Amino acid sequence: MTTLSPESRITAQAVASFAGTADPRLRQLVQSLVRHLHAFASEVELTEAEWFEGIRFLTATGQKCDGLVRQEFILLSDVIGLSMLVDAINHRAAEHVTESTVFGPFYIAGMPERGHGENMAFSPGVPALVTGRVLDADGRPVVGALLDVWQTAENGMYSGQDEAQPQGNLRGRYRTDAEGRYAIRTIVPVSYPIPTDGPVGQLLAATGRHPWRPAHLHFMIEAAGQRTLVTHLFNHDDPYLDSDAVFGVKDSLRVVYEPCGTDHALAAEFDFAGEFRLARYDFVLERG
Ligand code: BEZ
Ligand code: FE
């Protein structure tokens, strides 16, 4: 008969205490979580002071959440790479479809539906047009797809986070036309730091990490019969592409904002009175 060490016995007892869980998936999740947390404590020989500091940190993380715009637990999941790991596990298979990335905590539902090429920027910045098509996995245009779009202002803050910005600034919902085309008039995105005034910011500072995300435009694209796509387009030349604080960058999501003048064919169509930048990107959705 093998005798368990006191530590192994505690782990075995804690795992076994959940053996009667009726839902098999819940049983698997809880037992595996307990096993891995115990393995972590044993591996690092966790001290009581460290355990207490962990409890304090998680309590402060919960207290920082406001139920509206601030979600410090999502931020924590993002900076430890857990959000992108869950994304990778759940979007494994499909080739030739647009890659997904992190959702982030700054989405606001119910933003105004805007016309083809309508401006969503009501704060200063470099004028830009982001345009392309939404296609299905067979390369056919998706008509009437809804693109929910959001980005920060030049001060690195999202409307909703920053009271100085007009409601709905740099947010909007756009629909594809009969050829699957979309067009968004906006400003070129800028890089910005994720919020550092809470426990997650303290964790980054204590571990010598920077809080910056490379410049990006967020998309959530929905269409009947297609799997909803949550993704970003990243400015191709951003200095933080290789060190995104939340590990969200994928090479296939980089776009060039090409400088254009008023002689460009799209200047008149989209009402640009001066120079602007043009980014083109075709999204390919996975069948739902
Ligand atoms: C964002 O891109 O909005 C974001 C993503 C993860 C954490 C914080 C912000
Ligand atoms: Fe963002």
Side-chain angles (χ1 to χ4, degrees):
M1 197 179 86
T2 51
T3 47
L4 291 175
S5 68
E7 286 139 57
S8 302
R9 192 164 49 245
I10 291 161
T11 302
Q13 283 174 344
V15 170
S17 74
F18 292 103
T21 307
D23 179 336
R25 178 63 174 164
L26 179 62
R27 181 169 65 242
Q28 181 187 19
L29 291 172
V30 177
Q31 288 190 319
S32 178
L33 181 66
V34 169
R35 216 177 287 117
H36 283 272
L37 282 174
H38 283 227
F40 156 74
S42 295
E43 180 188 313
V44 301
E45 303 247 338
L46 197 66
T47 68
E48 285 167 318
E50 289 161 347
W51 170 81
F52 194 75
E53 176 57 18
I55 299 287
R56 188 209 61 78
F57 176 80
L58 291 174
T59 304
T61 299
Q63 286 167 340
K64 192 72 188 168
C65 299
D66 62 13
L68 292 168
V69 174
R70 190 64 183 261
Q71 227 303 351
E72 196 76 356
F73 271 113
I74 293 184
L75 209 54
L76 177 58
S77 164
D78 295 339
V79 302
I80 62 173
L82 184 61
S83 305
M84 284 307 294
L85 177 62
V86 173
D87 172 78
I89 292 165
N90 287 279
H91 296 89
R92 257 186 209 129
E95 278 182 35
H96 313 302
V97 302
T98 302
E99 292 189 281
S100 53
T101 189
V102 65
F103 191 54
F106 295 117
Y107 171 73
I108 300 179
M111 286 295 112
E113 194 159 335
R114 304 192 190 278
H116 189 71
E118 188 180 328
N119 182 34
M120 68 168 191
F122 306 102
S123 57
V126 177
L129 182 71
V130 180
T131 186
R133 287 175 306 161
V134 177
L135 305 169
D136 69 15
D138 298 321
R140 287 187 300 245
V142 179
V143 179
L146 192 62
L147 294 88
D148 216 323
V149 184
W150 65 108
Q151 71 175 91
T152 69
E154 283 216 316
N155 66 359
M157 306 260 268
Y158 286 91
S159 58
Q161 197 190 7
D162 172 12
E163 285 178 7
Q165 288 179 46
Q167 211 192 351
N169 188 37
L170 294 161
R171 298 178 184 271
R173 291 187 294 157
Y174 292 83
R175 268 194 201 279
T176 52
D177 66 12
E179 289 163 353
R181 296 194 181 281
Y182 70 91
I184 300 156
R185 202 183 146 159
T186 183
I187 54 175
V188 177
V190 296
S191 32
Y192 67 89
I194 61 170
T196 54
D197 60 340
V200 171
Q202 287 162 9
L203 176 67
L204 293 181
T207 52
R209 283 182 51 189
H210 76 68
W212 289 84
R213 294 219 64 207
H216 59 271
L217 177 56
H218 289 259
F219 287 85
M220 179 161 69
I221 306 179
E222 293 172 290
Q226 310 293 326
R227 189 169 181 188
T228 297
L229 172 67
V230 172
T231 196
H232 306 352
L233 294 181
F234 293 95
N235 303 18
H236 83 289
D237 55 355
D238 192 280
Y240 295 107
L241 283 172
D242 293 329
S243 64
D244 182 3
V246 303
F247 312 100
V249 178
K250 294 179 178 172
D251 284 349
S252 65
L253 301 176
R254 299 177 184 206
V255 283
V256 176
Y257 283 84
E258 174 201 340
C260 298
T262 45
D263 55 342
H264 194 283
L266 294 176
E269 184 180 348
F270 291 103
D271 235 14
F272 286 99
E275 293 191 344
F276 65 102
R277 303 292 176 114
L278 174 62
R280 295 180 185 274
Y281 196 88
D282 289 344
F283 295 95
V284 182
L285 304 182
E286 193 179 346
R287 218 174 301 287

